Amino acid sequence: MIPLRVAAVALLCPVLFATTGCALLGEAVGTFSFSMSSESMLPTVEKGARLTVRRAVGGYVPRPGDVVVFTPADWTGITPDAGHVSRVIGVPGSTVVCCDSQGRLEVNGKALDEPYLALPPASHVPFSVLVPAGRLWMMSDNRHVALDSRAHRGDPGEGTVAVSDVDGQVSLPVR
């Protein structure tokens, strides 16, 4: 008869190896997992969803619409080193304004089509921002609850996030 501890270890080893092996493989190909801890990206990403994120390395250039994980060094009142998930709205040199007569964001004078929003309008908080070089303007899809760039306008960087603070781009499926 096999002692209970030996049997338990024998049963758990394949599970532990598979989990560790998958994590190591992810690191080797430049991805990591991230758990969505809030409702800020509803309906695109559900609270509790496990996301696969492509690590931002080697000249990653964010594009408008990218959903990214970032750790904003300049934002105050947040947990240090905690990752956040939002959508890139403004890239360096762009002007983001809220809102036009239909409640839509304007980027560089053009209305932004945002079918992923939880509820219109694009923002209840009016703003106009010229995104500085090396910075991004971030907004989440559930704008009525999200604490994104708009909530950090009084912080250093005036709510923008350094491109270097982007940890990675979320892989689909997200809307």
Side-chain angles (χ1 to χ4, degrees), residues 21-79:
C22 289
L24 291 174
L25 178 61
E27 286 294 321
V29 297
T31 64
F32 64 95
S33 284
F34 186 85
S35 282
M36 187 67 193
S37 61
S38 76
E39 297 173 345
S40 66
M41 283 300 290
L42 286 172
T44 306
V45 180
E46 297 285 329
K47 181 178 181 179
R50 198 99 173 119
L51 305 173
T52 299
V53 182
R54 289 188 310 268
R55 197 169 296 285
V57 293
Y60 167 70
V61 178
R63 295 181 316 259
D66 284 355
V67 176
V68 298
V69 174
F70 61 103
T71 307
D74 295 334
W75 287 5
T76 61
I78 62 170
T79 305

Side-chain angles (χ1 to χ4, degrees), residues 91-171:
V91 295
S94 61
T95 300
V96 184
V97 177
C98 179
C99 289
D100 71 6
S101 62
Q102 296 178 14
R104 299 174 300 184
L105 291 180
E106 290 183 344
V107 178
N108 298 328
K110 295 180 184 162
L112 191 59
D113 180 32
E114 298 184 284
Y116 43 77
L117 287 183
L119 296 169
S123 177
H124 287 297
V125 178
F127 62 86
S128 178
V129 63
L130 173 60
V131 182
R135 312 286 296 182
L136 302 168
W137 183 260
M138 312 297 285
M139 293 179 77
S140 297
D141 294 355
N142 193 2
R143 307 236 170 110
H144 302 289
V145 301
L147 297 175
D148 50 30
S149 285
R150 298 166 299 157
H152 295 278
R153 302 252 357 248
D155 293 348
E158 298 179 2
T160 62
V161 173
V163 171
S164 60
D165 289 346
V166 174
D167 301 314
Q169 183 180 4
V170 174
S171 297

